[in-house]
Amino acid sequence: MAHFLAFIKEKEAKLRNCYAETIHLESDEFVTMILLDSDFLIEFFMRSYRRALIIDDDPIFTQSGLGFLGIDIQDDLYLEENQLPLVILSELLDLAKTATSNGDIYEGISFMTVVHSWFSNHIYLQSIVAEDLIGVQFSKAKHLLDLIILCLHSLQPPPSGTESEFNYQNIPGEKELHRVGVQFKSGSYENPLDIKFYEGTLQILSFSLFDRTERFYRNLLIFEAMHVYPVKYFNDYVIIMSCFLVTPEDADLLIQNGIIGLGDSEKLSTVFRSLIKDCVKRSGFQYAKLVEALQSYRKLPTHGWMATLWQKHLNNPWAIISVVAAVILLLLTITQTVCSIIAL
């Protein structure tokens, strides 16, 4: 224990400088707090990574995954006020490898390794793991939230370079798009913030929205807003989703098309509108071209006519049969009339 306390003591000035506000704790109190919090987090991630470390009657983990207390801790991991510098967590784990006689459990393990494993079980962050972005961004990141934002940002296309004003009132809702024949499809996991529109189909990454998902989104959004990033990608994602999900009917459309997995449509329509309170509407909106394409598609009258035909008159097999029969009867009538005219 003394060995680890001495290690933290050496880093005290650097650690205090990691926090924006002055921490009014005596040196010994501060060092002990950092060590206890760091040890807890390392142990938490290690038990998630190596299930053999889970003890009987573990209050946090079960052999099948997180217990109820573990789920609460998972939520707290992403709170900005609970962040610890990644560098100290990484160095403490490395120190533990040399300080323990049971070094086999640490063989081939770094803090980056266990974080990589943790993210692979988080559906929203699987694309980060798949692209191996953690290895690229880990040394640059200050803490877990910063690591997530850096990885998400690195998946996005570079800024367009134009800072023209954007009219946010132009973003249509899902029900409005449905009326003009836009189809909805679940997108791939390559980029969770990527929304595509091609040949009348809007692709959005599928997700399930629980209370803890909303908290996770809010933590990312607030952290991104408070820090200097070249582009506020997550901010823009929340804005466009809040415009898509205006009513419960909008949410129902996404549920029916497999984009939203679980969730109450009444609540889903309010979640993003709640999150948008923490957003900044700015020039250089990253989905401006997408909205332009949607509006161009929406303005073509033929799309609305065809959508009305299919949704109101061809929405079941019997309706289709009736329309086909009517068309055949009309063709036969025309043919008979033409033949009668020729015979004259």
Side-chain angles (χ1 to χ4, degrees):
M1 183 71 172
H3 186 55
F4 293 100
L5 284 170
F7 176 79
I8 299 291
K9 183 73 174 177
E10 290 178 7
K11 311 282 185 181
E12 182 179 357
K14 183 179 179 181
L15 286 168
R16 285 183 182 270
N17 288 334
C18 290
Y19 297 91
E21 298 180 1
T22 302
I23 299 176
H24 300 287
L25 291 176
E26 295 296 329
S27 178
D28 288 346
E29 290 180 293
F30 176 79
V31 168
T32 302
M33 177 192 72
I34 292 293
L35 181 59
L36 290 176
D37 289 350
S38 299
D39 283 350
F40 177 82
L41 272 184
I42 290 170
E43 182 72 13
F44 179 82
F45 280 116
M46 283 295 296
R47 290 191 191 186
S48 172
Y49 184 75
R50 285 253 166 103
R51 295 299 170 87
L53 297 174
I54 298 174
I55 61 175
D56 294 337
D57 301 323
D58 194 308
I60 297 174
F61 288 94
T62 68
Q63 288 298 331
S64 59
L66 289 174
F68 290 114
L69 179 57
I71 292 172
D72 289 338
I73 293 171
Q74 174 184 242
D75 294 340
D76 288 345
L77 282 177
Y78 303 116
L79 292 173
E80 186 182 18
E81 59 268 28
N82 289 343
Q83 300 304 301
L84 283 168
L86 283 179
V87 64
I88 200 66
L89 294 169
S90 187
E91 289 179 0
L92 275 173
L93 181 55
D94 289 341
L95 185 63
K97 295 179 185 180
T98 60
T100 180
S101 59
N102 188 16
D104 291 346
I105 64 170
Y106 296 109
E107 186 175 352
I109 293 177
S110 66
F111 196 70
M112 185 178 73
T113 307
V114 296
V115 169
H116 188 283
S117 174
W118 175 263
F119 283 174
S120 69
N121 294 317
H122 194 308
I123 190 168
Y124 188 80
L125 302 175
Q126 285 176 352
S127 58
I128 292 174
V129 177
E131 295 293 329
D132 199 25
L133 295 173
I134 294 174
V136 176
Q137 302 294 340
F138 191 84
S139 62
K140 306 174 189 176
K142 297 179 180 68
H143 44 67
L144 279 177
L145 267 182
D146 191 35
L147 177 61
I148 294 170
I149 290 290
L150 286 173
C151 289
L152 286 175
H153 281 203
S154 66
L155 285 169
Q156 311 313 315
S160 60
T162 60
E163 292 295 322
S164 57
E165 292 295 326
F166 177 77
N167 185 357
Y168 289 88
Q169 300 297 322
N170 284 338
I171 305 175
E174 301 289 11
K175 189 176 180 182
E176 184 181 352
L177 293 172
H178 179 65
R179 280 200 297 266
V180 295
V182 172
Q183 302 295 309
F184 305 98
K185 181 181 176 182
S186 173
S188 69
Y189 284 94
E190 295 174 359
N191 182 350
L193 305 186
D194 191 22
I195 303 175
K196 296 178 180 177
F197 181 64
Y198 180 69
E199 294 185 348
T201 299
L202 185 65
Q203 292 189 16
I204 304 172
L205 175 71
S206 62
F207 61 94
S208 295
L209 197 57
F210 305 100
D211 288 339
R212 63 180 183 273
T213 318
E214 180 183 352
R215 289 195 293 271
F216 174 63
Y217 283 3
R218 190 178 300 281
N219 289 331
L220 289 180
L221 181 64
I222 293 173
F223 179 76
E224 185 188 58
M226 291 176 63
H227 294 79
V228 180
Y229 293 103
V231 183
K232 308 292 188 184
Y233 288 107
F234 197 75
N235 174 87
D236 290 0
Y237 173 79
V238 170
I239 288 175
I240 197 165
M241 289 301 296
S242 69
C243 293
F244 284 161
L245 292 168
V246 177
T247 67
E249 289 77 13
D250 294 326
D252 282 335
L253 279 170
L254 295 189
I255 293 171
Q256 292 164 14
N257 287 276
I259 294 170
I260 299 177
L262 295 174
D264 174 59
S265 60
E266 190 73 38
K267 184 178 180 180
L268 285 167
S269 64
T270 64
V271 165
F272 281 99
R273 293 207 305 278
S274 172
L275 289 172
I276 202 173
K277 296 173 185 176
D278 297 308
C279 290
V280 177
K281 292 183 178 180
R282 58 187 185 83
S283 57
F285 184 61
Q286 291 304 299
Y287 298 98
K289 290 185 178 178
L290 171 71
V291 174
E292 184 181 333
L294 288 170
Q295 288 291 7
S296 296
Y297 187 91
R298 177 172 163 264
K299 289 176 182 177
L300 286 174
T302 52
H303 292 149
W305 298 337
M306 290 301 297
T308 300
L309 176 64
W310 282 101
Q311 293 167 14
K312 292 188 177 181
H313 304 293
L314 299 175
N315 56 358
N316 64 69
W318 292 112
I320 294 173
I321 291 170
S322 298
V323 170
V324 171
V327 170
I328 292 173
L329 181 60
L330 178 62
L331 290 174
L332 288 174
T333 302
I334 292 172
T335 302
Q336 185 179 18
T337 302
V338 171
C339 290
S340 298
I341 294 172
I342 294 173
L344 293 174

